[in-house]
């Protein structure tokens, strides 16, 4: 009697380690023959002479046990010395260009840098191999605020204040700092394998880029798109400069809501309005109170005057406005237009004056009277105490505040009215919106288009002036003795400004330059074209490489940088600066938390490289999905380090099983196989035809994924094919050829396929894992050029889908036998008999690969039978439709020992089951125990009952000499 076992694909595992499967002969010394029951294997040794290896750059897997991470810098320097990073127009004329997002010159490498370097290098290496001239243009940003802060701290350590120095002296110290420390981030980016053209590296304060910034300012001003005015800005008291709306971060913080009485002028003591405010110190800047016109509580006071507390009786009007929120606080709004963005807009609408009570250092000015000179927070405490003393307070209650803080300095931002330079954004934004609408610009992932469109449709004018000493000086000069709000000159340099001044005001005038500098993002907005020679549109690089192809960056600077580049590119060059925008997500820790020093969860890329290697880090980072945040964990890095080792071991196996390079006849046989021809592929033996066909299919799908920016899919497909198909199956199957006593004629087909498939795995993996793939490539025989510049594999190569189906059938059979062996603890070295039952057609191709079947299933080749009738007393395996196998009971298990083992097991399970039933039979337990506990016991009892039934069935059948398994 035989009961079939239902077996299915990937859930079946063979009880042998992955490293043993790769090459069981690696531990053997010298040349020795290993005796098996059905044929003899022999190990082939050789030595390859590779030109690149001779210069000490590369190490062969035959020599090294694993890939040595310290070789990465040697390999990188070799690539650069060979000129591989420069655009090469010999193979094509359509360039692929990426402008690197310039990291701050003050920066050191973090995972955000590692992410963009990895993804951009993947794109560049892919298109370089595709034959396109590639330019990845690197550089750094002068980072106005960040750099000035760093240098000021350095000076402070020497006991020097910036204000004790002249502007030129300070600039000299900053340049000294930049020359000494500014290259740190560049060297660290190189450590990640960035194949940039470093000969074209730029810095945003380079002479040529500085001229581009001045030209952009002048042209935009001439078009009426740049203007000067006094408007509400975000002021950073510590940095003493205006900052952009985008550089202000809001945080939820605990604070208070202060309720203050404003008496009505001419009224009784009971006539007052209570104002609820989070910033009492700004009351000195109040110019009015406002209530909702339909708020019955206050309608009688509309049109009257209120007395501002602690101002010696200053009166302000009580107005009505429908935008006043009746539900917030008391429904009475104090209007302080000098210190609140909303109040500022309301005051301008109502024609109210602007009253500023704050100095640039966030101390109160003379408008605050006795509070003049006090810090804003100190003034708040003192004012509240004195309001309490005078009976003008109602209450103070806890309130969650939305506090604006400087992204750079971290201090609380102060809204202040200040004279600044602005760019009119609406006409620029309209063109940028049309670029996406017309398909001239594609944003990936697509969902960010909505965010892009929303921001540009509601854009505000851009404050581009900063009160700093480090950066691009605003190219504006004023006339000494004249109102600089009205009389100013925009020029490209001082000489031109003086000439214009003489022409306009006479020869005796004196001029001085605006002390402010431009927002760092202004120069960054020109980056894709200023780095290529603009405004000289006849510059060779500009003509060859502009517009660029892809802009890759984090989604968090879509507005800071990307949208501004699009607007400036269209306005100043007439062209969208790039065709695609690819936005990656943030790197988070394994728990999904944002990395921060406070949490102590920051992962240093350089430390990661030392432990896991650059390739494993890059492969991990590239596995994400566009726009989605990636959780980085040690487990992922460890897994991908193991993948690096798997590649290395595969290369070791292949090299050890190729003929010596001096063996001309053997190499003639190998090179005779042409896998780009239909007949050559179709006529291959089944495992070889399967491996080559699967490779050709994967090349097509991987290439498509590269073209669609599906980096994660590329990684998964390549990983799965190499490990799941090539390493775990074809390499194992090839041993039936390589170690057969038939000699080189039998081995050559496997050697040819191993070499062909492996080199075409290294190619699509190279953009992800450049170092280990180049090292392996250089170790292979007959390498005429480096992998970095090798042609990409051809697509649409021949494949035989019928052979794929046949080998999958054979693989299912092997998995079924492996699973049965594991289930019944058959010794790994023990070879068992088997009978395969199938149709004549299936038997024919399975029988042709009997050696592969026997090798991978640990079968006794002499007792492997193909029949149409099943034997008795066997384990029945169903591998697929029309394909079954029978494993003799005597080979599989010692029946008497198994009966004894199962009997003991049954007794133990019965005791456990009885215990569960006893619990459930107790009314006290069922009624008093928590519901989830009772449910858990019921589930355990049901599971135990099922196991007992299965075990009893097996015992019964074993005792009658028939094995039954479900």
């Amino acid at each position: 009697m035989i009961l079939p076992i239902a077996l299915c694909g990937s859930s079946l595992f063979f009880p042998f380690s992955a490293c043993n499967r790769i090459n069981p002969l690696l531990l053997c010394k010298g040349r020795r023959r290993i005796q098996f029951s059905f044929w003899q294997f022999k190990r082939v040794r050789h030595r390859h002479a590779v030109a690149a290896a001779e210069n000490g750059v590369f190490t062969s897997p035959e020599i090294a046990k694993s890939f040595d991470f310290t070789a990465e810098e040697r390999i990188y320097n070799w690539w650069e010395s060979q000129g591989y990073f420069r655009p090469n127009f010999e193979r094509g004329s359509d360039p692929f260009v990426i402008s690197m997002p310039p990291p701050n010159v003050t920066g050191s490498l973090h995972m955000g840098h590692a992410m963009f370097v990895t993804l951009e290098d993947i794109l560049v290496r892919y298109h370089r191999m595709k034959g396109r001239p590639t330019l990845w243009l690197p550089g750094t940003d002068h980072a106005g605020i960040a750099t000035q802060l760093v240098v000021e701290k350095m000076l402070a350590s020497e006991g020097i204040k910036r204000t004790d120095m002249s502007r030129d002296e300070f600039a000299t110290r900053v340049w000294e700092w930049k020359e000494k420390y500014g290259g740190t981030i560049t060297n660290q980016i190189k450590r990640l394998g960035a194949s940039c053209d470093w000969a074209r590296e730029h810095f945003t304060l380079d002479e040529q880029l500085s001229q581009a910034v001045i030209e952009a300012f002048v042209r935009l001003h001439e078009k009426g798109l740049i203007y000067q005015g006094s408007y509400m800005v975000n002021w950073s008291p510590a940095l003493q400069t205006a900052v952009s709306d985008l550089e202000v971060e809001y945080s939820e913080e605990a604070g208070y809501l202060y309720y203050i009485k404003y008496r009505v002028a001419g009224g009784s003591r009971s006539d007052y309005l209570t104002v609820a405010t989070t910033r009492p110190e700004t009351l000195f800047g109040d110019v009015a109170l406002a209530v909702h016109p339909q708020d019955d509580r206050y309608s009688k006071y509309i049109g009257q005057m209120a007395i501002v507390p602690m101002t010696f009786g200053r009166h302000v009007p009580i107005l009505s406005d429908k935008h006043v929120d009746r539900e917030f606080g008391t429904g009475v709004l104090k209007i302080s237009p000098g210190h609140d963005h909303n109040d500022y807009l309301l005051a301008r609408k109502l024609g109210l004056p602007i009253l500023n009570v704050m100095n640039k250092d966030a101390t109160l000015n003379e408008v605050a009277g006795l509070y003049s000179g006090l810090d804003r927070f100190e003034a708040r405490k003192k004012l509240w105490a004195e309001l309490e003393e005078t009976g003008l307070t109602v209450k103070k209650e806890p309130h969650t505040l939305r506090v604006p803080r400087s992204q750079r300095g971290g201090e609380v931002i102060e809204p202040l009215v200040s004279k600044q330079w602005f760019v009119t954004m609406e006409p620029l934004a309209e063109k940028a919106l049309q670029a996406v609408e017309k398909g001239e610009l594609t944003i990936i992932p697509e969902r960010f288009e909505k965010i892009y469109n929303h921001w540009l449709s509601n854009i505000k004018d851009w404050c581009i002036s900063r009160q700093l000493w480090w950066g691009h000086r605003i190219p504006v000069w004023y006339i000494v003795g004249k109102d600089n709000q009205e009389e100013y000159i925009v020029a490209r340099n001082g000489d031109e400004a003086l000439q214009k001044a003489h022409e306009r005001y006479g020869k005796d005038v004196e001029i001085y330059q605006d002390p402010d500098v431009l927002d760092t993002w202004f120069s960054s907005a020109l980056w894709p074209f200023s780095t290529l020679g603009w405004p000289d549109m006849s510059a060779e690089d500009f003509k060859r490489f502009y517009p660029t192809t892809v802009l890759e960056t984090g989604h968090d600077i879509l507005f800071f940088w990307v949208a501004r580049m699009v607007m400036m590119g269209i306005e100043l060059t007439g062209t969208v600066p790039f065709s695609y925008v690819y936005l990656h997500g943030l790197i988070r820790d394994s728990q999904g938390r944002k990395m921060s020093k406070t949490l102590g969860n920051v992962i240093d890329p350089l430390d990661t490289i030392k432990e896991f290697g650059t390739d494993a880090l890059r492969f991990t980072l590239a596995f994400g999905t566009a726009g989605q945040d990636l959780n980085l964990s040690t487990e992922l890095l460890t897994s991908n380090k193991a993948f690096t080792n798997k590649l290395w071991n595969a290369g070791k196996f292949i090299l050890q099983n190729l003929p010596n390079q001096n063996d001309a006849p053997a190499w003639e046989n190998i090179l005779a196989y042409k896998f780009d021809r239909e007949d050559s592929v179709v006529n291959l033996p089944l495992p070889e035809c399967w491996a080559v066909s699967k490779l050709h299919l994967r090349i097509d799908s991987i290439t498509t994924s590269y073209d669609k920016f599906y980096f994660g899919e590329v990684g998964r497909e390549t990983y799965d094919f190499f490990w799941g198909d090539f390493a775990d199956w074809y390499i194992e199957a090839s041993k039936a050829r390589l170690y057969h006593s038939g000699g080189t004629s039998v081995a050559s087909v496997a050697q040819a396929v191993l070499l062909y498939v492996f080199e075409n795995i290294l190619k699509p993996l190279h953009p992800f894992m450049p170092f280990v793939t180049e090292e392996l490539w250089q170790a292979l025989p007959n390498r005429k050029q480096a992998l970095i510049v090798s042609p990409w594999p051809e697509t649409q190569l021949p494949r035989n889908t019928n052979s794929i189906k046949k080998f999958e059938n054979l693989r299912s059979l092997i998995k079924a036998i492996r699973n049965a062996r594991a289930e019944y603890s058959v010794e790994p070295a023990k070879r068992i008999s088997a009978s395969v039952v199938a149709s004549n057609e299936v038997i024919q191709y399975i029988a042709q690969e009997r050696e592969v079947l026997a090798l991978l299933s640990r079968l006794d080749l002499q007792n492997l039978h193909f029949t149409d009738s099943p034997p008795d007393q066997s384990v029945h395996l169903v591998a697929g439709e029309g394909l079954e196998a029978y494993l003799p009971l005597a080979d599989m298990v010692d029946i008497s020992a198994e009966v004894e083992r199962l009997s003991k097991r049954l007794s133990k399970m019965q005791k456990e089951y009885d215990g569960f039933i006893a619990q459930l039979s107790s009314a006290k337990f069922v009624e008093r125990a928590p519901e989830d506990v009772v449910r858990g016991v019921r589930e355990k009892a049901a599971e135990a009952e099922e196991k007992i039934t299965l075990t009893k069935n097996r015992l019964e059948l074993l005792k009658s000499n028939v094995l039954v398994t479900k």
Side-chain angles (χ1 to χ4, degrees):
M1 180 177 178
I2 300 169
L3 188 69
I5 304 175
L7 298 166
C8 53
S10 61
S11 64
L12 311 177
F13 299 98
F14 200 34
F16 305 111
S17 71
C19 60
N20 287 337
R21 287 207 306 275
I22 275 287
N23 189 353
L25 307 181
L26 291 182
L27 301 179
C28 302
K29 296 182 180 179
R31 293 177 181 266
R32 68 185 182 115
R33 299 168 74 86
I34 301 176
Q35 184 69 40
F36 285 85
S37 61
F38 48 100
W39 62 58
Q40 288 185 326
F41 293 78
K42 61 182 180 181
R43 188 179 186 203
V44 182
R45 299 286 302 204
H46 71 97
R47 286 291 178 269
H48 293 300
V50 181
E54 292 173 356
N55 62 24
V57 176
F58 298 95
T59 304
S60 171
E62 286 193 293
I63 299 171
K65 183 178 180 182
S66 61
F67 178 56
D68 182 5
F69 304 150
T70 61
E72 292 174 351
E73 292 184 80
R74 293 200 306 274
I75 295 170
Y76 186 89
N77 293 335
W78 181 75
W79 282 328
E80 190 173 12
S81 70
Q82 300 300 306
Y84 294 141
F85 298 165
R86 296 196 291 270
N88 183 351
F89 283 87
E90 293 178 5
R91 289 172 56 196
S93 58
D94 178 25
F96 178 86
V97 186
I98 292 183
S99 299
M100 174 186 287
N104 288 353
V105 71
T106 58
S108 60
L109 199 68
H110 58 65
M111 279 300 172
H113 297 126
M115 173 67 94
F116 88 68
V117 169
T118 295
L119 296 179
E120 290 174 29
D121 198 41
I122 285 173
L123 282 167
V124 168
R125 288 177 185 269
Y126 168 65
H127 286 281
R128 184 185 289 123
M129 294 175 78
K130 293 277 282 186
R132 297 178 68 178
T134 56
L135 172 60
W136 186 11
L137 198 149
T140 49
D141 190 285
H142 65 279
I145 293 175
T147 305
Q148 183 158 316
L149 276 174
V150 168
V151 176
E152 285 194 42
K153 287 179 181 177
M154 179 189 73
L155 292 172
S157 68
E158 301 172 13
I160 303 172
K161 291 182 179 180
R162 172 173 62 91
T163 51
D164 296 335
M165 311 171 71
S166 71
R167 185 174 189 137
D168 288 342
E169 288 172 338
F170 180 74
T172 299
R173 293 298 300 268
V174 180
W175 278 108
E176 288 174 356
W177 179 93
K178 190 265 180 186
E179 293 305 314
K180 186 173 182 180
Y181 301 105
T184 300
I185 187 70
T186 296
N187 293 328
Q188 291 173 337
I189 285 174
K190 289 182 177 183
R191 190 66 188 84
L192 283 163
S195 57
C196 306
D197 184 354
W198 294 105
R200 284 180 166 88
E201 182 181 7
H202 283 291
F203 178 53
T204 48
L205 283 179
D206 286 347
E207 180 62 31
Q208 193 270 313
L209 271 67
S210 296
Q211 290 302 315
V213 169
I214 292 170
E215 186 65 29
F217 186 98
V218 171
R219 291 191 188 185
L220 292 171
H221 185 268
E222 288 173 350
K223 290 183 177 183
L225 294 171
I226 285 182
Y227 65 92
Q228 186 184 46
S230 293
Y231 297 96
M232 177 70 70
V233 296
N234 300 299
W235 184 262
S236 172
L239 299 173
Q240 288 285 288
T241 181
V243 295
S244 163
D245 289 345
L246 300 176
E247 294 169 291
V248 177
E249 295 180 339
Y250 290 87
S251 60
E252 299 290 323
E253 299 179 21
Y256 292 96
L257 199 55
Y258 300 86
Y259 291 79
I260 303 171
K261 295 178 182 178
Y262 282 62
R263 299 195 185 280
V264 178
S268 65
R269 292 185 63 84
S270 62
D271 287 319
Y272 62 84
L273 283 76
T274 301
V275 171
T277 179
T278 59
R279 304 181 65 207
E281 68 278 8
T282 62
L283 63 77
F284 298 107
D286 291 351
V287 296
L289 297 184
V291 298
H292 195 279
Q294 296 175 357
D295 193 332
D296 296 335
R297 294 174 295 176
Y298 310 115
S299 57
K300 64 180 179 179
Y301 296 123
I302 296 173
Q304 297 189 49
M305 304 293 282
I307 303 171
V308 180
M310 311 304 291
T311 61
F312 303 102
R314 185 164 65 85
H315 288 33
V316 295
I318 302 171
L319 309 173
S320 67
D321 190 277
K322 63 181 181 180
H323 294 102
V324 174
D325 184 358
R326 284 183 282 183
E327 304 302 320
F328 178 78
T330 62
V332 180
L333 173 69
K334 70 184 212 58
I335 302 176
S336 309
H339 303 281
D340 182 274
H341 288 282
N342 293 325
D343 290 3
Y344 176 77
L345 295 174
L346 185 59
R348 292 188 65 184
K349 183 184 78 169
L350 298 175
L352 296 170
I354 309 297
L355 190 58
N356 176 32
V357 302
M358 202 81 66
N359 295 313
K360 294 293 177 68
D361 62 356
T363 59
L364 272 61
N365 62 23
E366 66 279 359
V367 175
L370 297 175
Y371 296 87
S372 176
L374 292 178
D375 172 77
R376 53 185 165 168
F377 301 120
E378 182 184 352
R380 181 181 301 174
K381 293 178 182 177
K382 182 179 180 182
L383 175 61
W384 181 253
E386 294 187 0
L387 284 168
E388 286 182 315
E389 288 179 11
T390 57
L392 292 176
T393 62
V394 177
K395 61 179 177 178
K396 179 177 77 170
E397 61 183 19
H399 182 72
T400 300
L401 307 177
R402 188 167 179 262
V403 180
R405 291 189 176 274
S406 166
Q407 190 183 61
R408 293 294 179 195
E411 79 277 10
V412 176
I413 289 296
E414 188 65 43
L416 282 180
V417 174
S418 175
K419 187 180 73 173
Q420 303 288 342
W421 289 93
F422 296 85
V423 177
T424 302
M425 300 301 286
E426 194 171 331
L428 303 180
E430 186 177 345
K431 295 176 184 177
L433 285 166
Q434 290 174 359
V436 172
E437 186 179 334
K438 293 177 180 178
E440 297 170 352
L441 176 65
T442 301
I443 298 177
I444 303 168
E446 188 178 354
R447 71 176 185 277
F448 282 100
E449 280 188 18
K450 292 181 180 178
I451 301 172
Y452 172 90
N453 291 340
H454 181 267
W455 185 73
L456 287 175
S457 299
N458 298 276
I459 199 165
K460 297 178 181 178
D461 286 356
W462 176 15
C463 175
I464 56 171
S465 47
R466 298 290 181 267
Q467 290 64 51
L468 302 171
W469 282 4
W470 173 246
H472 295 101
R473 193 90 172 262
I474 289 179
V476 171
W477 283 260
Y478 302 106
I479 311 301
V480 174
K482 291 189 177 291
D483 183 356
N484 61 16
Q485 182 81 19
E486 301 294 334
E487 306 286 346
Y488 63 82
I489 294 170
V490 176
R492 290 170 177 81
N493 53 57
D495 291 340
E496 182 184 325
L498 187 59
Q499 182 181 344
K500 287 183 176 181
H502 286 165
E503 292 172 357
R504 193 181 304 175
Y505 302 105
K507 297 292 184 181
D508 296 331
V509 299
E510 295 181 20
I511 62 174
Y512 62 96
Q513 190 173 359
D514 194 308
D516 291 351
V517 300
L518 287 163
D519 179 11
T520 302
W521 293 105
F522 187 88
S523 55
S524 298
L526 315 179
W527 185 253
F529 46 94
S530 64
T531 52
L532 295 174
W534 187 90
D536 180 7
M537 298 178 80
S538 64
E540 192 63 29
D541 274 2
F542 187 86
K543 290 192 296 182
R544 274 188 164 185
F545 301 116
Y546 189 81
T548 64
T549 314
V550 178
L551 188 282
E552 192 286 330
T553 190
H555 66 69
D556 53 331
I557 57 172
L558 178 59
F559 311 131
F560 280 101
W561 191 43
V562 180
R564 287 170 175 169
M565 280 190 290
V566 175
M567 289 185 279
M568 289 295 194
I570 295 172
E571 184 63 33
L572 296 171
T573 72
T575 307
V576 179
F578 27 75
S579 301
Y580 299 92
V581 173
Y582 181 94
L583 301 169
H584 66 250
L586 303 177
I587 307 294
R588 299 184 178 274
D589 69 8
S590 58
Q591 299 177 43
R593 300 175 301 175
K594 191 173 182 179
M595 291 186 188
S596 71
K597 292 179 181 178
T598 305
L599 293 174
N601 62 346
V602 175
I603 301 175
D604 189 309
L606 298 177
D607 291 341
T608 305
I609 287 171
K610 289 176 186 175
E611 184 175 356
F612 300 98
T614 304
D615 292 317
L617 173 60
R618 287 171 58 120
F619 199 71
T620 303
L621 294 176
F623 243 65
T625 304
Q628 297 290 337
D629 293 352
L630 176 71
N631 293 356
L632 186 63
S633 67
T634 302
E635 290 75 18
L636 278 173
L637 291 164
T638 301
S639 172
N640 290 325
K641 181 181 179 183
F643 182 54
T644 306
N645 292 334
K646 190 81 169 179
L647 275 172
W648 190 259
N649 286 333
K652 184 188 294 285
F653 173 85
I654 292 166
L655 288 170
Q656 289 177 336
N657 288 284
L658 290 175
N660 191 291
Q661 279 194 309
N662 297 324
D663 189 346
W667 278 104
E668 189 175 332
N669 287 336
I670 291 173
L671 298 176
Y673 289 97
K674 304 297 180 185
F675 301 110
D676 57 348
R677 297 206 320 253
E678 184 80 31
D679 59 333
S680 179
V681 173
V682 171
N683 292 326
L684 288 170
L686 181 60
E688 284 68 30
C689 186
W690 168 79
V692 172
S693 296
K694 288 277 289 210
L695 171 70
H696 291 170
L697 284 169
R698 282 301 172 101
I699 288 172
D700 287 357
S701 61
I702 287 169
T703 302
T704 299
S705 293
Y706 264 113
D707 290 336
K708 291 182 177 180
F709 301 90
Y710 293 167
F711 303 120
E713 195 60 33
V714 171
R716 280 183 285 274
E717 286 193 77
T718 312
Y719 183 101
D720 291 345
F721 175 71
F722 166 72
W723 200 314
D725 290 333
F726 182 66
D728 280 359
W729 287 96
Y730 183 69
I731 283 183
E732 295 301 311
S734 71
K735 295 171 186 176
R737 322 275 193 229
L738 297 172
Y739 306 148
H740 197 282
S741 57
T744 57
S745 59
V746 175
S748 61
V749 64
Q751 291 168 330
V753 170
L754 282 169
L755 187 58
Y756 175 73
V757 175
F758 190 61
E759 69 181 13
N760 282 289
I761 285 172
L762 294 179
K763 285 183 177 182
L765 264 179
H766 176 74
F768 280 71
M769 310 176 82
F771 294 108
V772 69
T773 53
E774 185 73 77
E775 184 100 279
L776 288 164
W777 178 268
Q778 295 292 339
L780 297 175
N782 305 314
R783 301 300 99 180
K784 296 180 180 179
Q785 57 189 164
L787 178 56
I788 188 175
V789 290
S790 293
W792 188 258
E794 292 182 41
T795 56
Q796 301 300 313
L797 290 171
R799 70 289 309 266
N800 187 320
T801 54
N802 193 38
S803 291
I804 293 175
K805 292 177 182 176
K806 288 178 179 179
F807 188 82
E808 296 296 341
N809 228 11
L810 174 60
R811 188 158 69 164
S812 294
L813 178 60
I814 294 167
K815 286 180 179 180
I817 297 171
R818 287 177 171 183
N819 185 71
R821 293 181 60 116
E823 188 174 351
Y824 295 105
S825 304
V826 179
E827 288 294 328
K830 184 179 181 181
R831 299 196 172 272
I832 61 174
S833 304
S835 296
V836 178
V837 177
S839 65
N840 289 334
E841 179 190 355
V842 175
I843 288 291
Q844 185 176 4
Y845 68 76
I846 296 291
Q848 284 180 346
E849 298 303 333
R850 58 192 299 128
E851 291 86 358
V852 172
L853 174 60
L855 175 64
L856 300 187
S857 305
R858 293 285 199 261
L859 300 179
D860 181 354
L861 187 60
Q862 305 305 322
N863 287 298
L864 173 57
H865 305 288
F866 298 89
T867 179
D868 55 4
S869 59
D872 294 331
Q873 297 184 0
S874 298
V875 179
H876 179 203
L877 311 176
V878 178
E881 188 175 349
L883 180 60
E884 304 171 13
Y886 294 84
L887 308 181
L889 178 60
D891 280 7
M892 290 293 292
V893 67
D894 181 331
I895 295 176
S896 59
E898 185 69 2
V899 167
E900 183 179 353
R901 185 183 71 83
L902 289 177
S903 297
K904 290 179 180 179
R905 182 181 174 190
L906 179 61
S907 177
K908 183 179 179 181
M909 287 191 297
Q910 188 66 51
K911 287 181 181 178
E912 290 179 352
Y913 176 72
D914 291 343
F916 295 140
I917 295 300
Q919 274 186 291
L920 295 171
S921 299
S922 169
K924 187 180 294 185
F925 170 76
V926 174
E927 291 171 4
R928 296 183 181 179
E931 185 179 342
D932 58 331
V933 173
V934 176
R935 184 170 59 252
V937 173
R938 285 201 178 102
E939 289 173 357
K940 289 177 182 178
E943 185 180 344
E945 185 178 20
E946 184 179 353
K947 289 180 179 179
I948 288 170
T949 301
L950 289 173
T951 306
K952 283 181 177 179
N953 289 341
R954 176 178 286 184
L955 265 173
E956 183 181 342
L957 292 167
L958 277 172
K959 290 175 181 176
S960 61
N961 289 332
V962 179
L963 179 65
V964 179
T965 306
K966 291 187 178 180

